[in-house]
Amino acid sequence: MLSDFDAIPVLAVTDLDKARAFYETTLGFSSVGDAAEGVMYRSGSGSFLVYPSGYAGTNQATAISFQVSADRFDAEVADLRGRGVDFQTFEVPEGTWQDGVLVSGEMKAAWFADPDGNILNVETGAEG
């Protein structure tokens, strides 16, 4: 069954060099190697693929969510801001926006886009 195997998020981009600069310099990921005309990045115990495609940026939903521990969330958001990342806000059924961060009870989350409009998210993980 497919549930026995790891899933790899895949992000389409128009310009791989521009995307590499964003993911490596702005977000701080290190390439773990080239693959399928793209590049693989390690994230925690998983990985994701960034590759060129004519369909880049067409997904209007969150493409990847990075789970950050509650004690590190504010520092991660501050670091992203310091690297020039702009956070997005939108209407939500519950919670409040505080300086670009959605706060709902103990949960905090922030959304932003890569250069092609792929929507990324950082949020406090399931363990809080």
Side-chain angles (χ1 to χ4, degrees), residues 11 13 16 20 31 33-41 48-52:
L11 296 174
V13 299
L16 189 57
R20 285 186 82 132
S31 167
D34 294 338
E37 299 180 27
V39 60
M40 292 290 295
Y41 293 104
F48 64 95
L49 171 68
V50 174
Y51 78 105

Side-chain angles (χ1 to χ4, degrees), residues 41-105:
Y41 293 104
R42 171 104 22 238
S43 179
S45 61
S47 59
F48 64 95
L49 171 68
V50 174
Y51 78 105
S53 169
Y55 295 104
T58 59
N59 180 5
Q60 298 301 303
T62 302
I64 295 181
S65 181
F66 298 98
Q67 303 294 290
V68 177
S69 62
D71 64 332
R72 293 203 39 207
F73 181 85
D74 292 337
E76 290 296 323
V77 167
D79 183 57
L80 290 168
R81 273 200 179 96
R83 294 170 179 265
V85 171
D86 293 319
F87 294 103
Q88 303 174 352
T89 61
F90 46 89
E91 289 196 32
V92 292
E94 60 185 61
T96 58
W97 292 104
Q98 298 176 8
D99 195 23
V101 173
L102 177 65
V103 178
S104 180

Side-chain angles (χ1 to χ4, degrees), residues 13-27 39 41 50 114-117:
V13 299
T14 55
D15 182 330
L16 189 57
D17 291 333
K18 186 175 180 180
R20 285 186 82 132
F22 178 77
Y23 285 96
E24 294 172 19
T25 303
T26 304
L27 300 186
V39 60
Y41 293 104
V50 174
D114 74 1
D116 286 288

